[in-house]
């Protein structure tokens, strides 16, 4: 199965000799490019998330991937692996980017069933889709080792001996001249239950998707175990019938994989519900979840970190609240909002402060943080914009002040993806909220908080 690996915001065009290789431009087969263009137009018509967009490069029409990462799979089986632009942020190539993405995905709500260590090892030799398949197969293997769970299910059948409840009407219709038969309804203890049917259907699906010899071999071995169980013909109905009874805790994570595999759900919000042709993850949501998990470890114990706060609105109109204000992260001290934080998956340049560049910051983000600060902090305190740390943005920017809102300060801070820590400026009033500022040693370098 053919495919390519690209990064966020790279562009794809129809195969043209000598055109690919520079400026993040890649060529794909004509049929694949035509399908990608169709997806762009369809998403625009339906108002869906723009994971692709039409653009131009070197005078040619191209399709550009936006800030979504994961796997795009064309109908002919051609796979496009999209990795985050962390190569620019932390250095390294596709292997490092893939491993970091897997670690970040573990923080995403509804996708915390990845076993990080085994997945990162797989990422060193497999593309992302094969890593997901390997994780699913590993989870199914654990269930098989413990034994497939059986359950009582109601059956109706024409039996030679009476079992359960005799169903008189169908019995008379079918057995009027057969005194040796009984049409009855009875309970049968069987492994043919919704959970196992779903696993079998997912196994069949991954055997069609995987090009890895290792995954194919393990998948066929596991499918043999399910040979006597019919594959789910109606996954949605079987999911409604799922019952994780006592002793079935090991099924939960595996069924999360099954939902992704069978429904092809793109976990855009962490709860599914959006059907996409591929497994795609918005890096904004992934980065936010990653920061939230690790920032909690850096906070003072008395503080509470709340995600997706939504207790304030921008305006009131006709006795109704309009335009809910939802900062990514909110730090509370007892019953008081203390700090407001928004994460942004964007690479800044700390050297470009003048002219139109302004470090690469967005004016709309500043308006947004001002509204958060006035509503959640009553215009007094500190609000944050958090970006990934890079070579060109490795320390906090000087504080921003709002001339018309005295007492409200905005900080732009880097979050290190390697050390998993937020860099905070020494001497700031909020410094007590982050007492854990000791140097962190990694295998590659020494990373410390900014002093």
């Amino acid at each position: 199965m053919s495919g390519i690996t690209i990064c966020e915001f790279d562009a794809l065009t129809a195969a043209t000799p000598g055109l690919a290789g520079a400026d993040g431009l890649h060529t794909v087969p004509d049929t694949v490019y035509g399908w990608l263009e169709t997806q762009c137009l369809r998403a625009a018509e339906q108002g869906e998330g723009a994971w692709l967009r039409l653009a131009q490069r070197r005078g040619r029409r191209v399709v550009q991937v936006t800030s979504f990462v994961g796997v795009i799979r064309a109908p002919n089986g051609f796979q496009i692996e999209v990795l985050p632009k962390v190569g620019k942020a932390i250095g390294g190539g596709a292997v490092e980017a893939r491993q970091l993405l897997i670690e970040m995905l573990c923080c995403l709500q509804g996708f915390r069933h990845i076993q990080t260590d085994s997945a990162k090892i797989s990422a060193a030799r497999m593309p992302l889709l094969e890593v997901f398949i390997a994780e699913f197969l590993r989870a199914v293997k654990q269930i098989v080792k413990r034994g497939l769970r059986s359950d009582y299910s109601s059956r109706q059948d024409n039996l030679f001996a009476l079992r359960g409840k005799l169903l008189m009407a169908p019995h008379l219709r079918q057995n009027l001249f057969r005194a040796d038969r009984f049409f009855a309804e009875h309970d049968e203890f069987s492994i043919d239950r919704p959970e196992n049917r779903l696993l079998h259907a997912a196994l069949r699906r991954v055997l069609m998707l995987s090009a890895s010899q290792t995954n194919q071999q393990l998948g066929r071995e596991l499918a043999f175990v399910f040979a006597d169980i019919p594959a789910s013909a109606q996954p949605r109905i079987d999911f409604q019938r799922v019952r994780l009874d006592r002793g079935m805790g090991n099924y939960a994570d595996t069924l999360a994989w099954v939902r992704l595999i069978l429904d092809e759900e793109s976990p855009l919000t962490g709860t599914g519900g959006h059907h996409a042709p591929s497994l795609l993850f918005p890096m904004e949501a992934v980065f936010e979840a990653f920061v939230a998990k690790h920032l909690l470890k850096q906070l003072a114990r008395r503080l509470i970190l709340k995600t997706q706060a939504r207790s304030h609105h921008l305006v009131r109109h006709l006795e109704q609240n309009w335009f809910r204000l939802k900062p990514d992260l909110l730090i509370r001290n007892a019953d008081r909002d203390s700090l407001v934080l928004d994460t942004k998956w964007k690479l800044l340049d700390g050297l470009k402060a003048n002219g139109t560049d302004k470090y690469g910051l967005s004016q709309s983000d500043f308006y947004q943080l001002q509204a958060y600060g006035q509503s959640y902090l009553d215009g007094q305190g500190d609000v944050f914009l958090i970006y990934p740390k890079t070579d060109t943005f490795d320390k906090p920017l000087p504080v921003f002040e709002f001339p018309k809102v005295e007492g409200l300060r905005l900080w732009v801070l880097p979050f290190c993806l390697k050390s998993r820590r937020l860099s905070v400026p020494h001497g700031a009033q909020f410094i007590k909220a982050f007492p854990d500022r000791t140097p962190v040693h990694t295998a590659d370098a020494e990373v410390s908080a900014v002093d």
Side-chain angles (χ1 to χ4, degrees):
M1 189 180 299
S2 56
I4 59 173
T5 297
I6 65 175
C7 291
E8 295 171 89
F9 298 105
D10 282 358
L12 302 163
T13 187
T16 302
L19 186 63
D23 302 328
L25 185 60
H26 308 265
T27 60
V28 294
D30 293 348
T31 54
V32 175
Y33 180 76
W35 175 78
L36 290 171
E37 277 199 335
T38 302
Q39 295 301 309
C40 282
L41 297 174
R42 181 178 300 171
E45 290 176 357
Q46 298 177 357
E48 296 178 351
W51 53 281
L52 291 173
R53 65 186 175 205
L54 294 173
Q56 278 198 343
R57 293 277 183 88
R58 303 183 190 177
R60 288 184 59 89
R61 190 171 59 187
V62 301
V63 169
Q64 186 180 34
V65 181
T66 59
S67 59
F68 288 80
V69 296
V71 181
I72 301 172
R73 189 174 186 273
N76 65 356
F78 189 88
Q79 293 181 9
I80 304 169
E81 181 186 38
V82 187
L83 298 178
K85 53 195 176 187
V86 290
K88 300 175 183 178
I90 65 171
V95 172
E96 290 79 3
R98 194 179 297 122
Q99 290 175 332
L100 180 60
L101 174 59
I102 289 170
E103 186 173 344
M104 296 176 77
L105 287 176
C106 294
C107 305
L108 194 62
Q109 181 68 30
F111 208 75
R112 296 173 177 169
H113 46 275
I114 302 179
Q115 296 296 316
T116 310
D117 293 339
S118 63
K120 288 177 72 175
I121 292 172
S122 300
R125 62 182 188 276
M126 294 179 177
L128 198 59
L129 181 61
E130 298 291 354
V131 174
F132 292 159
I133 291 175
E135 281 293 287
F136 164 68
L137 294 176
R138 179 199 56 77
V140 176
K141 185 178 179 180
Q142 292 300 317
I143 289 178
V144 171
K145 281 184 175 181
R146 297 183 182 184
L148 298 180
R149 301 291 294 183
S150 300
D151 193 16
Y152 286 101
S153 59
S154 179
R155 300 290 181 88
Q156 294 183 4
D157 204 355
N158 211 15
L159 305 174
F160 285 103
L162 179 61
R163 293 173 55 191
K165 177 183 178 182
L166 181 68
L167 301 178
M168 189 57 68
H171 172 70
L172 293 176
R173 285 197 304 268
Q174 297 191 33
N175 301 324
L176 186 60
F177 304 103
R178 294 291 305 269
D180 61 331
R181 293 291 187 98
F182 302 88
F183 196 93
E185 182 179 51
H186 61 97
D187 290 336
E188 185 175 285
F189 195 61
S190 170
I191 58 175
D192 181 7
R193 57 183 297 173
E195 299 81 3
N196 293 331
R197 292 197 296 269
L198 289 166
L199 292 181
H200 192 183
L203 282 170
R204 288 187 175 185
R205 176 68 172 155
V206 300
L207 285 172
M208 295 172 56
L209 294 174
S210 177
S212 163
Q213 184 177 353
T214 302
N215 285 343
Q216 282 285 334
Q217 180 178 347
L218 180 55
R220 286 192 296 267
E221 292 174 359
L222 294 172
F224 180 77
V225 178
F226 288 79
D228 294 332
I229 305 171
S232 177
Q234 297 179 304
R236 291 181 181 275
I237 295 176
D238 275 341
F239 268 117
Q240 293 173 0
R241 296 172 176 170
V242 165
R243 292 185 298 107
L244 296 181
D245 302 329
R246 183 178 178 181
M248 289 190 63
N250 57 326
Y251 270 76
D253 290 348
T254 313
L255 288 173
W257 283 115
V258 172
R259 192 178 296 276
L260 290 172
I261 293 167
L262 294 184
D263 289 353
E264 293 182 331
E265 279 187 353
S266 181
L268 299 178
T269 62
T271 57
H274 177 93
H275 293 277
S278 309
L279 279 175
L280 294 171
F281 306 84
M283 276 307 301
E284 285 284 356
V286 175
F287 182 56
E288 176 190 333
F290 187 71
V291 171
K293 176 181 177 179
H294 295 289
L295 187 63
L296 183 61
K297 304 173 185 178
Q298 199 175 346
L299 286 178
R301 292 185 178 181
R302 69 182 185 280
L303 300 180
I304 299 172
L305 182 65
K306 185 176 182 181
T307 59
Q308 293 296 325
R310 49 179 63 215
S311 55
H312 292 280
H313 293 76
L314 186 61
V315 295
R316 272 186 70 80
H317 177 68
L318 298 176
E319 299 184 356
Q320 293 181 336
N321 293 322
W322 282 21
F323 310 125
R324 193 185 299 273
L325 296 173
K326 299 185 292 184
D328 294 337
L329 303 170
L330 179 67
I331 296 176
R332 293 178 59 83
N333 187 356
D335 58 349
R336 181 177 61 86
D337 296 333
S338 179
L339 302 169
V340 178
L341 310 91
D342 238 30
T343 59
K344 303 294 178 184
W345 181 252
K346 184 179 181 180
L347 304 185
L348 299 187
D349 190 336
L351 302 178
K352 295 183 178 180
N354 300 320
T356 59
D357 293 319
K358 296 182 174 61
Y359 306 111
L361 296 168
S362 170
Q363 183 176 348
S364 61
D365 291 337
F366 277 61
Y367 284 135
Q368 188 178 44
L369 267 293
Q370 181 180 3
Y372 291 162
Q374 289 179 313
S375 296
Y376 283 89
L377 306 180
D378 297 326
Q380 297 290 320
D382 299 280
V383 294
F384 302 82
L385 284 170
I386 300 175
Y387 295 83
K389 181 179 179 180
T390 65
D391 290 340
T392 57
F393 178 55
D394 58 357
K395 60 183 179 181
L397 297 180
V399 64
F400 293 86
E401 298 175 345
F402 298 96
K404 300 297 184 180
V405 189
E406 294 185 10
L408 184 64
R409 298 169 295 276
L410 187 149
W411 300 87
V412 178
L413 308 178
F415 187 89
C416 182
L417 300 174
K418 281 188 174 181
S419 69
R420 305 168 188 82
R421 291 173 182 267
L422 182 69
S423 296
V424 292
H426 180 70
Q429 294 183 19
F430 60 84
I431 195 65
K432 293 181 179 179
F434 303 94
D436 187 5
R437 302 175 65 251
T438 55
V440 178
H441 296 273
T442 68
D444 300 317
E446 180 178 300
V447 184
S448 62
V450 174
D451 289 321

